[in-house]
Amino acid sequence: MGKFIVLEGIEGVGKTTNMEFICQYLSGKHLDVVRTREPGGTVLSEKIRDIVLHTKDTEPLAVDAELLLMFAARAQHVAEVIIPALTQGRWLVSDRFIDASYAYQGGGRGIAYDRIAILEHWVLNNLKPDRVIILDAPVELALSRTRHRKVKDRIEQEQADFFTRFREAYLQRAQVDPARYRIVDAAKPLSHIQEQLSTILDELIK
Amino acid sequence: MGKFIVLEGIEGVGKTTNMEFICQYLSGKHLDVVRTREPGGTVLSEKIRDIVLHTKDTEPLAVDAELLLMFAARAQHVAEVIIPALTQGRWLVSDRFIDASYAYQGGGRGIAYDRIAILEHWVLNNLKPDRVIILDAPVELALSRTRHRKVKDRIEQEQADFFTRFREAYLQRAQVDPARYRIVDAAKPLSHIQEQLSTILDELIK
């Protein structure tokens, strides 16, 4: 049976580089890997991603609308990609998933966690990732790494205190269910991060 | 103060023609009228409408995703159009609103009403239309009127039993709260329908 692995973290912690590493590491072990992301992962969900990330400032996205769009995209992603892949015994690696809603919409935007929990129950039922890997770094360091990006989307333009709440919410999630979560120090050199990732993945493979 | 009027009904009952009539009738009384529709009514909500109505058959829209998209579009519509218009004392006429979710997603698609009620409470709080006018006609008659339309969207292609449940759910909603609902027989001649609409509108104006 395949496993469901999620990589989480605020902007600038190196998710893109390490998603690539994780997928190549698993493929190197001759595992059948599906790489996906949230919001997104299906044609429809990518359209929703586009709406959420690129809403013009002339039309501020209502907080409730953002939360519901994220879960709409997730419902489609679960039905169309995640459940089929896991049913077929494939390994699934997602760049963000449910924890991002708790961290971003909950911690960051201040939406009540019990509201997010109701949507989680509706959309995921009892589906949970086997392992959630949180790339964690101090907000200042992470944000300094995004500064060179020329085009910032709406989410990257949020303020530092928003990212502090975003980060804290991730760490709280990990504390509640330590068996399923691993926190990786993204402030360390890449070689050290990827050594830790390898250990986490080996634990799942064996 | 303005009033919030919603026109509801299944496909083929003449909503477009009678939306036009209602708005012209109110404008003719020198009232400041905002005409809107659901799903839609804002740039973002119209994008969501487009996703919901034109999902290709290659990517069937998950039932949960559809419900959440509808309420995401509604949250944006309420924040950006409905609340501001009512606060300014304008009259607001919407082609469909919350009852369409109960009728279409609930009655038609079989989503539990209490799930819809939770979303209604989140997104609308205590906002309710002053008057909901349901254009009602037997399903066969209504569907026969849509048959000449060359391009049918996904919703118009649903089966007749779907529309029967859709219609029944509207009628049930009206029964529960008769003070706010008016049912207009859309099988009657247009002159008769519009006479009834005028009476309903006069009741609100005075």
Side-chain angles (χ1 to χ4, degrees), chain B residues 62-123:
Chain B
V63 171
D64 282 338
E66 184 181 69
L67 178 71
L68 294 168
L69 283 172
M70 288 293 189
F71 273 93
R74 181 165 296 136
Q76 191 68 28
H77 189 211
V78 167
E80 198 176 322
V81 174
I82 297 180
I83 298 287
L86 295 175
T87 305
Q88 291 159 25
R90 306 177 75 183
W91 286 64
L92 193 81
V93 186
S94 185
D95 180 343
R96 292 206 172 125
F97 189 57
I98 183 70
D99 290 284
S101 287
Y102 283 95
Y104 184 87
Q105 267 87 33
R109 293 253 183 261
I111 290 181
Y113 289 134
D114 58 356
R115 185 166 289 195
I116 299 171
I118 288 173
L119 291 170
E120 177 184 6
H121 179 68
W122 288 358
V123 168

Short mmCIF file of all heavy atoms in Angstrom, two decimals, chain B residues 62-123:
data_model
loop_
_atom_site.label_atom_id
_atom_site.label_comp_id
_atom_site.label_asym_id
_atom_site.label_seq_id
_atom_site.Cartn_x
_atom_site.Cartn_y
_atom_site.Cartn_z
N ALA B 62 -17.44 17.32 -8.10
CA ALA B 62 -17.82 16.62 -6.87
C ALA B 62 -18.97 17.40 -6.20
O ALA B 62 -18.98 18.62 -6.22
CB ALA B 62 -16.63 16.52 -5.93
N VAL B 63 -19.93 16.67 -5.65
CA VAL B 63 -21.13 17.30 -5.06
C VAL B 63 -20.75 18.29 -3.96
O VAL B 63 -21.28 19.40 -3.88
CB VAL B 63 -22.09 16.21 -4.53
CG1 VAL B 63 -23.23 16.85 -3.73
CG2 VAL B 63 -22.67 15.41 -5.68
N ASP B 64 -19.82 17.91 -3.09
CA ASP B 64 -19.36 18.82 -2.03
C ASP B 64 -18.70 20.07 -2.60
O ASP B 64 -18.87 21.17 -2.07
CB ASP B 64 -18.30 18.14 -1.14
CG ASP B 64 -18.93 17.18 -0.16
OD1 ASP B 64 -20.13 17.32 0.15
OD2 ASP B 64 -18.20 16.28 0.32
N ALA B 65 -17.93 19.87 -3.67
CA ALA B 65 -17.23 21.00 -4.29
C ALA B 65 -18.25 21.99 -4.84
O ALA B 65 -18.12 23.20 -4.67
CB ALA B 65 -16.30 20.51 -5.40
N GLU B 66 -19.30 21.47 -5.45
CA GLU B 66 -20.34 22.33 -6.02
C GLU B 66 -21.01 23.16 -4.92
O GLU B 66 -21.17 24.38 -5.05
CB GLU B 66 -21.38 21.48 -6.75
CG GLU B 66 -22.44 22.29 -7.45
CD GLU B 66 -23.47 21.40 -8.13
OE1 GLU B 66 -24.26 20.74 -7.43
OE2 GLU B 66 -23.49 21.37 -9.36
N LEU B 67 -21.38 22.51 -3.83
CA LEU B 67 -22.03 23.21 -2.72
C LEU B 67 -21.12 24.31 -2.16
O LEU B 67 -21.56 25.45 -1.94
CB LEU B 67 -22.38 22.22 -1.60
CG LEU B 67 -23.03 22.84 -0.36
CD1 LEU B 67 -24.45 23.29 -0.66
CD2 LEU B 67 -23.02 21.86 0.82
N LEU B 68 -19.85 23.97 -1.95
CA LEU B 68 -18.92 24.94 -1.36
C LEU B 68 -18.63 26.09 -2.33
O LEU B 68 -18.48 27.25 -1.90
CB LEU B 68 -17.63 24.23 -0.95
CG LEU B 68 -17.83 23.22 0.20
CD1 LEU B 68 -16.59 22.35 0.38
CD2 LEU B 68 -18.17 23.93 1.51
N LEU B 69 -18.58 25.79 -3.61
CA LEU B 69 -18.38 26.86 -4.60
C LEU B 69 -19.56 27.82 -4.59
O LEU B 69 -19.39 29.05 -4.67
CB LEU B 69 -18.20 26.27 -6.01
CG LEU B 69 -16.83 25.68 -6.31
CD1 LEU B 69 -16.84 24.96 -7.65
CD2 LEU B 69 -15.75 26.77 -6.32
N MET B 70 -20.77 27.27 -4.51
CA MET B 70 -21.96 28.12 -4.49
C MET B 70 -21.93 29.07 -3.29
O MET B 70 -22.24 30.25 -3.40
CB MET B 70 -23.22 27.26 -4.40
CG MET B 70 -23.53 26.52 -5.67
SD MET B 70 -23.98 27.71 -6.99
CE MET B 70 -24.55 26.58 -8.25
N PHE B 71 -21.53 28.53 -2.13
CA PHE B 71 -21.50 29.38 -0.94
C PHE B 71 -20.29 30.33 -0.93
O PHE B 71 -20.37 31.41 -0.35
CB PHE B 71 -21.59 28.54 0.34
CG PHE B 71 -23.02 28.26 0.72
CD1 PHE B 71 -23.66 27.11 0.30
CD2 PHE B 71 -23.74 29.19 1.46
CE1 PHE B 71 -24.99 26.88 0.63
CE2 PHE B 71 -25.07 28.96 1.79
CZ PHE B 71 -25.70 27.79 1.38
N ALA B 72 -19.21 29.94 -1.58
CA ALA B 72 -18.08 30.87 -1.72
C ALA B 72 -18.51 32.06 -2.57
O ALA B 72 -18.27 33.22 -2.21
CB ALA B 72 -16.88 30.17 -2.35
N ALA B 73 -19.17 31.77 -3.68
CA ALA B 73 -19.67 32.84 -4.56
C ALA B 73 -20.66 33.72 -3.79
O ALA B 73 -20.64 34.96 -3.91
CB ALA B 73 -20.34 32.23 -5.79
N ARG B 74 -21.49 33.09 -2.99
CA ARG B 74 -22.50 33.84 -2.21
C ARG B 74 -21.84 34.71 -1.15
O ARG B 74 -22.26 35.86 -0.95
CB ARG B 74 -23.48 32.84 -1.57
CG ARG B 74 -24.58 33.49 -0.76
CD ARG B 74 -25.70 32.50 -0.48
NE ARG B 74 -26.33 32.08 -1.72
CZ ARG B 74 -26.66 30.83 -2.03
NH1 ARG B 74 -26.46 29.85 -1.16
NH2 ARG B 74 -27.20 30.55 -3.20
N ALA B 75 -20.82 34.19 -0.47
CA ALA B 75 -20.13 34.97 0.57
C ALA B 75 -19.58 36.26 -0.04
O ALA B 75 -19.69 37.35 0.53
CB ALA B 75 -19.01 34.15 1.20
N GLN B 76 -18.98 36.13 -1.22
CA GLN B 76 -18.42 37.30 -1.88
C GLN B 76 -19.52 38.26 -2.33
O GLN B 76 -19.41 39.48 -2.18
CB GLN B 76 -17.58 36.84 -3.09
CG GLN B 76 -16.74 37.92 -3.73
CD GLN B 76 -15.59 38.38 -2.83
OE1 GLN B 76 -15.09 37.63 -2.00
NE2 GLN B 76 -15.18 39.63 -2.99
N HIS B 77 -20.60 37.70 -2.84
CA HIS B 77 -21.75 38.49 -3.32
C HIS B 77 -22.38 39.28 -2.17
O HIS B 77 -22.69 40.47 -2.31
CB HIS B 77 -22.76 37.51 -3.94
CG HIS B 77 -23.89 38.15 -4.67
ND1 HIS B 77 -25.14 37.58 -4.73
CD2 HIS B 77 -23.97 39.31 -5.37
CE1 HIS B 77 -25.93 38.36 -5.45
NE2 HIS B 77 -25.26 39.40 -5.86
N VAL B 78 -22.54 38.62 -1.04
CA VAL B 78 -23.14 39.27 0.13
C VAL B 78 -22.25 40.43 0.59
O VAL B 78 -22.71 41.55 0.82
CB VAL B 78 -23.35 38.25 1.28
CG1 VAL B 78 -23.66 38.95 2.60
CG2 VAL B 78 -24.48 37.29 0.91
N ALA B 79 -20.92 40.15 0.72
CA ALA B 79 -20.00 41.16 1.25
C ALA B 79 -19.84 42.34 0.31
O ALA B 79 -19.77 43.49 0.73
CB ALA B 79 -18.63 40.53 1.53
N GLU B 80 -19.82 42.04 -0.98
CA GLU B 80 -19.44 43.07 -1.94
C GLU B 80 -20.63 43.82 -2.54
O GLU B 80 -20.51 44.99 -2.92
CB GLU B 80 -18.65 42.37 -3.08
CG GLU B 80 -17.83 43.30 -3.92
CD GLU B 80 -17.01 42.55 -4.95
OE1 GLU B 80 -16.50 41.44 -4.62
OE2 GLU B 80 -16.88 43.03 -6.08
N VAL B 81 -21.77 43.14 -2.66
CA VAL B 81 -22.93 43.75 -3.35
C VAL B 81 -24.15 43.90 -2.44
O VAL B 81 -24.72 44.99 -2.31
CB VAL B 81 -23.32 42.92 -4.60
CG1 VAL B 81 -24.61 43.44 -5.23
CG2 VAL B 81 -22.18 42.93 -5.61
N ILE B 82 -24.56 42.81 -1.81
CA ILE B 82 -25.86 42.82 -1.14
C ILE B 82 -25.87 43.72 0.09
O ILE B 82 -26.72 44.62 0.21
CB ILE B 82 -26.29 41.37 -0.79
CG1 ILE B 82 -26.46 40.57 -2.10
CG2 ILE B 82 -27.60 41.37 0.01
CD1 ILE B 82 -26.87 39.14 -1.93
N ILE B 83 -24.93 43.50 1.01
CA ILE B 83 -24.90 44.32 2.23
C ILE B 83 -24.72 45.81 1.90
O ILE B 83 -25.47 46.66 2.39
CB ILE B 83 -23.80 43.82 3.21
CG1 ILE B 83 -24.08 42.37 3.66
CG2 ILE B 83 -23.66 44.76 4.42
CD1 ILE B 83 -25.21 42.19 4.62
N PRO B 84 -23.74 46.15 1.02
CA PRO B 84 -23.60 47.58 0.70
C PRO B 84 -24.89 48.18 0.11
O PRO B 84 -25.29 49.27 0.49
CB PRO B 84 -22.46 47.60 -0.33
CG PRO B 84 -21.65 46.38 0.00
CD PRO B 84 -22.64 45.35 0.44
N ALA B 85 -25.54 47.46 -0.80
CA ALA B 85 -26.75 48.01 -1.44
C ALA B 85 -27.85 48.23 -0.40
O ALA B 85 -28.50 49.27 -0.38
CB ALA B 85 -27.23 47.08 -2.55
N LEU B 86 -28.06 47.24 0.46
CA LEU B 86 -29.13 47.37 1.46
C LEU B 86 -28.79 48.46 2.48
O LEU B 86 -29.67 49.20 2.92
CB LEU B 86 -29.39 46.02 2.14
CG LEU B 86 -29.93 44.92 1.21
CD1 LEU B 86 -30.04 43.59 1.96
CD2 LEU B 86 -31.30 45.30 0.63
N THR B 87 -27.51 48.56 2.83
CA THR B 87 -27.07 49.60 3.77
C THR B 87 -27.34 50.98 3.20
O THR B 87 -27.68 51.92 3.92
CB THR B 87 -25.56 49.43 4.07
OG1 THR B 87 -25.34 48.09 4.53
CG2 THR B 87 -25.09 50.41 5.13
N GLN B 88 -27.18 51.10 1.89
CA GLN B 88 -27.44 52.39 1.23
C GLN B 88 -28.92 52.63 0.97
O GLN B 88 -29.30 53.62 0.34
CB GLN B 88 -26.68 52.45 -0.11
CG GLN B 88 -25.16 52.52 0.03
CD GLN B 88 -24.43 52.07 -1.22
OE1 GLN B 88 -24.98 52.14 -2.32
NE2 GLN B 88 -23.21 51.60 -1.07
N GLY B 89 -29.76 51.68 1.40
CA GLY B 89 -31.20 51.86 1.24
C GLY B 89 -31.71 51.60 -0.17
O GLY B 89 -32.80 52.02 -0.54
N ARG B 90 -30.91 50.90 -0.97
CA ARG B 90 -31.35 50.62 -2.34
C ARG B 90 -32.22 49.37 -2.38
O ARG B 90 -32.21 48.55 -1.46
CB ARG B 90 -30.11 50.44 -3.23
CG ARG B 90 -29.16 51.64 -3.12
CD ARG B 90 -27.91 51.45 -3.93
NE ARG B 90 -28.19 51.62 -5.35
CZ ARG B 90 -27.28 51.44 -6.31
NH1 ARG B 90 -26.04 51.07 -5.99
NH2 ARG B 90 -27.60 51.61 -7.58
N TRP B 91 -32.97 49.22 -3.46
CA TRP B 91 -33.75 48.00 -3.68
C TRP B 91 -32.86 47.00 -4.41
O TRP B 91 -32.14 47.38 -5.35
CB TRP B 91 -35.00 48.30 -4.51
CG TRP B 91 -36.05 49.01 -3.71
CD1 TRP B 91 -35.94 50.25 -3.16
CD2 TRP B 91 -37.33 48.50 -3.34
NE1 TRP B 91 -37.09 50.56 -2.47
CE2 TRP B 91 -37.96 49.51 -2.57
CE3 TRP B 91 -38.02 47.31 -3.59
CZ2 TRP B 91 -39.24 49.34 -2.04
CZ3 TRP B 91 -39.30 47.15 -3.08
CH2 TRP B 91 -39.90 48.15 -2.31
N LEU B 92 -32.93 45.76 -3.98
CA LEU B 92 -32.06 44.76 -4.56
C LEU B 92 -32.93 43.62 -5.11
O LEU B 92 -33.76 43.07 -4.37
CB LEU B 92 -31.12 44.23 -3.47
CG LEU B 92 -29.96 43.40 -3.94
CD1 LEU B 92 -28.83 44.32 -4.43
CD2 LEU B 92 -29.43 42.55 -2.80
N VAL B 93 -32.74 43.31 -6.38
CA VAL B 93 -33.50 42.20 -6.98
C VAL B 93 -32.50 41.17 -7.47
O VAL B 93 -31.65 41.46 -8.32
CB VAL B 93 -34.38 42.67 -8.16
CG1 VAL B 93 -35.25 41.53 -8.66
CG2 VAL B 93 -35.25 43.86 -7.74
N SER B 94 -32.56 39.95 -6.92
CA SER B 94 -31.60 38.91 -7.30
C SER B 94 -32.29 37.75 -8.00
O SER B 94 -33.32 37.25 -7.55
CB SER B 94 -30.84 38.42 -6.07
OG SER B 94 -29.83 37.49 -6.47
N ASP B 95 -31.72 37.36 -9.12
CA ASP B 95 -32.14 36.16 -9.84
C ASP B 95 -31.49 34.99 -9.09
O ASP B 95 -30.31 34.72 -9.28
CB ASP B 95 -31.62 36.27 -11.28
CG ASP B 95 -31.99 35.07 -12.14
OD1 ASP B 95 -32.36 34.01 -11.60
OD2 ASP B 95 -31.88 35.21 -13.38
N ARG B 96 -32.26 34.38 -8.21
CA ARG B 96 -31.84 33.30 -7.31
C ARG B 96 -30.98 33.79 -6.13
O ARG B 96 -30.28 34.77 -6.22
CB ARG B 96 -31.10 32.17 -8.05
CG ARG B 96 -32.01 31.40 -8.98
CD ARG B 96 -31.49 29.98 -9.20
NE ARG B 96 -32.47 29.17 -9.95
CZ ARG B 96 -32.20 28.53 -11.08
NH1 ARG B 96 -31.00 28.56 -11.59
NH2 ARG B 96 -33.14 27.81 -11.67
N PHE B 97 -31.10 33.02 -5.03
CA PHE B 97 -30.31 33.31 -3.81
C PHE B 97 -30.29 32.03 -2.97
O PHE B 97 -30.24 30.93 -3.53
CB PHE B 97 -30.92 34.54 -3.09
CG PHE B 97 -30.09 35.08 -1.95
CD1 PHE B 97 -28.78 35.49 -2.15
CD2 PHE B 97 -30.63 35.19 -0.67
CE1 PHE B 97 -28.03 35.99 -1.09
CE2 PHE B 97 -29.89 35.69 0.39
CZ PHE B 97 -28.59 36.08 0.18
N ILE B 98 -30.37 32.17 -1.66
CA ILE B 98 -30.19 31.03 -0.76
C ILE B 98 -31.18 29.87 -1.01
O ILE B 98 -30.81 28.70 -0.92
CB ILE B 98 -30.27 31.50 0.72
CG1 ILE B 98 -30.01 30.37 1.69
CG2 ILE B 98 -31.59 32.20 1.05
CD1 ILE B 98 -28.60 29.87 1.74
N ASP B 99 -32.44 30.19 -1.36
CA ASP B 99 -33.41 29.11 -1.58
C ASP B 99 -32.99 28.18 -2.71
O ASP B 99 -33.33 27.00 -2.69
CB ASP B 99 -34.79 29.71 -1.88
CG ASP B 99 -35.38 30.34 -0.63
OD1 ASP B 99 -35.84 29.60 0.25
OD2 ASP B 99 -35.33 31.58 -0.52
N ALA B 100 -32.26 28.72 -3.66
CA ALA B 100 -31.79 27.88 -4.77
C ALA B 100 -30.83 26.79 -4.27
O ALA B 100 -30.80 25.68 -4.82
CB ALA B 100 -31.11 28.74 -5.84
N SER B 101 -30.06 27.09 -3.21
CA SER B 101 -29.17 26.06 -2.66
C SER B 101 -29.97 24.94 -2.01
O SER B 101 -29.65 23.77 -2.16
CB SER B 101 -28.20 26.66 -1.64
OG SER B 101 -27.22 27.43 -2.31
N TYR B 102 -31.00 25.33 -1.26
CA TYR B 102 -31.85 24.30 -0.64
C TYR B 102 -32.56 23.49 -1.72
O TYR B 102 -32.66 22.27 -1.63
CB TYR B 102 -32.89 24.94 0.28
CG TYR B 102 -32.32 25.38 1.61
CD1 TYR B 102 -31.91 26.69 1.82
CD2 TYR B 102 -32.19 24.47 2.66
CE1 TYR B 102 -31.38 27.09 3.04
CE2 TYR B 102 -31.65 24.86 3.88
CZ TYR B 102 -31.25 26.17 4.07
OH TYR B 102 -30.71 26.56 5.26
N ALA B 103 -33.04 24.18 -2.75
CA ALA B 103 -33.83 23.49 -3.78
C ALA B 103 -32.95 22.65 -4.70
O ALA B 103 -33.23 21.48 -4.95
CB ALA B 103 -34.64 24.51 -4.58
N TYR B 104 -31.87 23.28 -5.18
CA TYR B 104 -31.03 22.61 -6.18
C TYR B 104 -30.06 21.61 -5.55
O TYR B 104 -30.08 20.42 -5.87
CB TYR B 104 -30.26 23.67 -6.99
CG TYR B 104 -29.46 23.06 -8.11
CD1 TYR B 104 -30.02 22.83 -9.36
CD2 TYR B 104 -28.15 22.66 -7.89
CE1 TYR B 104 -29.29 22.24 -10.37
CE2 TYR B 104 -27.41 22.07 -8.90
CZ TYR B 104 -27.98 21.86 -10.13
OH TYR B 104 -27.25 21.26 -11.12
N GLN B 105 -29.22 22.11 -4.61
CA GLN B 105 -28.25 21.20 -4.00
C GLN B 105 -28.92 20.24 -3.01
O GLN B 105 -28.55 19.09 -2.89
CB GLN B 105 -27.14 21.98 -3.27
CG GLN B 105 -25.91 22.24 -4.12
CD GLN B 105 -26.01 23.49 -4.93
OE1 GLN B 105 -26.62 24.46 -4.50
NE2 GLN B 105 -25.44 23.47 -6.11
N GLY B 106 -29.89 20.78 -2.26
CA GLY B 106 -30.58 19.95 -1.28
C GLY B 106 -31.58 19.01 -1.95
O GLY B 106 -31.37 17.80 -2.01
N GLY B 107 -32.66 19.58 -2.48
CA GLY B 107 -33.70 18.76 -3.13
C GLY B 107 -33.14 17.98 -4.31
O GLY B 107 -33.30 16.76 -4.40
N GLY B 108 -32.48 18.68 -5.21
CA GLY B 108 -32.00 18.04 -6.44
C GLY B 108 -30.88 17.05 -6.19
O GLY B 108 -30.98 15.87 -6.52
N ARG B 109 -29.81 17.52 -5.57
CA ARG B 109 -28.61 16.69 -5.41
C ARG B 109 -28.63 15.82 -4.17
O ARG B 109 -27.74 14.99 -3.97
CB ARG B 109 -27.37 17.59 -5.28
CG ARG B 109 -27.02 18.36 -6.51
CD ARG B 109 -25.79 17.77 -7.16
NE ARG B 109 -25.40 18.55 -8.31
CZ ARG B 109 -25.72 18.21 -9.56
NH1 ARG B 109 -26.43 17.13 -9.81
NH2 ARG B 109 -25.33 18.96 -10.57
N GLY B 110 -29.57 16.08 -3.27
CA GLY B 110 -29.67 15.23 -2.09
C GLY B 110 -28.70 15.56 -0.96
O GLY B 110 -28.47 14.74 -0.07
N ILE B 111 -28.14 16.75 -0.98
CA ILE B 111 -27.29 17.17 0.15
C ILE B 111 -28.20 17.48 1.34
O ILE B 111 -29.25 18.11 1.19
CB ILE B 111 -26.45 18.41 -0.24
CG1 ILE B 111 -25.38 18.01 -1.25
CG2 ILE B 111 -25.83 19.07 1.01
CD1 ILE B 111 -24.48 19.13 -1.69
N ALA B 112 -27.78 17.02 2.53
CA ALA B 112 -28.61 17.21 3.73
C ALA B 112 -28.88 18.69 3.97
O ALA B 112 -27.97 19.51 3.91
CB ALA B 112 -27.91 16.59 4.94
N TYR B 113 -30.16 19.00 4.29
CA TYR B 113 -30.53 20.39 4.52
C TYR B 113 -29.77 21.00 5.70
O TYR B 113 -29.49 22.19 5.71
CB TYR B 113 -32.04 20.52 4.77
CG TYR B 113 -32.88 20.28 3.53
CD1 TYR B 113 -34.01 19.46 3.58
CD2 TYR B 113 -32.56 20.88 2.31
CE1 TYR B 113 -34.79 19.24 2.44
CE2 TYR B 113 -33.33 20.66 1.17
CZ TYR B 113 -34.44 19.85 1.24
OH TYR B 113 -35.20 19.63 0.13
N ASP B 114 -29.44 20.20 6.71
CA ASP B 114 -28.77 20.82 7.86
C ASP B 114 -27.34 21.24 7.52
O ASP B 114 -26.80 22.17 8.11
CB ASP B 114 -28.84 19.93 9.12
CG ASP B 114 -28.23 18.57 8.90
OD1 ASP B 114 -27.82 18.26 7.76
OD2 ASP B 114 -28.17 17.80 9.87
N ARG B 115 -26.76 20.59 6.53
CA ARG B 115 -25.44 21.02 6.07
C ARG B 115 -25.58 22.40 5.39
O ARG B 115 -24.78 23.31 5.63
CB ARG B 115 -24.89 19.98 5.08
CG ARG B 115 -23.50 20.27 4.63
CD ARG B 115 -22.85 19.09 3.94
NE ARG B 115 -22.53 18.00 4.85
CZ ARG B 115 -21.71 16.98 4.54
NH1 ARG B 115 -21.16 16.92 3.34
NH2 ARG B 115 -21.47 16.04 5.42
N ILE B 116 -26.60 22.53 4.56
CA ILE B 116 -26.84 23.81 3.89
C ILE B 116 -27.16 24.89 4.91
O ILE B 116 -26.71 26.03 4.80
CB ILE B 116 -27.98 23.65 2.85
CG1 ILE B 116 -27.57 22.61 1.79
CG2 ILE B 116 -28.30 24.99 2.19
CD1 ILE B 116 -28.68 22.21 0.84
N ALA B 117 -27.91 24.50 5.96
CA ALA B 117 -28.28 25.47 7.00
C ALA B 117 -27.05 26.00 7.74
O ALA B 117 -27.00 27.18 8.11
CB ALA B 117 -29.26 24.84 7.98
N ILE B 118 -26.06 25.14 7.96
CA ILE B 118 -24.84 25.59 8.63
C ILE B 118 -24.12 26.63 7.76
O ILE B 118 -23.71 27.69 8.23
CB ILE B 118 -23.89 24.40 8.94
CG1 ILE B 118 -24.50 23.57 10.08
CG2 ILE B 118 -22.49 24.87 9.30
CD1 ILE B 118 -23.77 22.27 10.36
N LEU B 119 -24.01 26.33 6.47
CA LEU B 119 -23.37 27.28 5.55
C LEU B 119 -24.18 28.58 5.46
O LEU B 119 -23.61 29.67 5.41
CB LEU B 119 -23.19 26.65 4.17
CG LEU B 119 -22.17 25.51 4.11
CD1 LEU B 119 -22.25 24.79 2.76
CD2 LEU B 119 -20.75 26.02 4.33
N GLU B 120 -25.51 28.45 5.46
CA GLU B 120 -26.36 29.65 5.41
C GLU B 120 -26.06 30.54 6.62
O GLU B 120 -25.88 31.75 6.50
CB GLU B 120 -27.84 29.27 5.42
CG GLU B 120 -28.75 30.50 5.45
CD GLU B 120 -30.24 30.19 5.55
OE1 GLU B 120 -30.61 29.01 5.70
OE2 GLU B 120 -31.03 31.15 5.49
N HIS B 121 -25.98 29.91 7.78
CA HIS B 121 -25.73 30.68 9.00
C HIS B 121 -24.36 31.38 8.96
O HIS B 121 -24.24 32.54 9.33
CB HIS B 121 -25.82 29.75 10.21
CG HIS B 121 -25.55 30.45 11.50
ND1 HIS B 121 -26.40 31.41 12.00
CD2 HIS B 121 -24.52 30.38 12.35
CE1 HIS B 121 -25.89 31.89 13.13
NE2 HIS B 121 -24.74 31.27 13.36
N TRP B 122 -23.34 30.69 8.48
CA TRP B 122 -22.00 31.28 8.37
C TRP B 122 -21.99 32.47 7.43
O TRP B 122 -21.42 33.50 7.72
CB TRP B 122 -20.99 30.26 7.81
CG TRP B 122 -20.62 29.18 8.75
CD1 TRP B 122 -21.05 29.03 10.05
CD2 TRP B 122 -19.76 28.08 8.48
NE1 TRP B 122 -20.49 27.91 10.58
CE2 TRP B 122 -19.70 27.30 9.65
CE3 TRP B 122 -19.03 27.68 7.36
CZ2 TRP B 122 -18.94 26.14 9.73
CZ3 TRP B 122 -18.27 26.53 7.44
CH2 TRP B 122 -18.23 25.76 8.62
N VAL B 123 -22.58 32.25 6.26
CA VAL B 123 -22.40 33.21 5.18
C VAL B 123 -23.41 34.36 5.25
O VAL B 123 -23.10 35.50 4.93
CB VAL B 123 -22.46 32.47 3.82
CG1 VAL B 123 -22.57 33.42 2.66
CG2 VAL B 123 -21.23 31.56 3.67
#
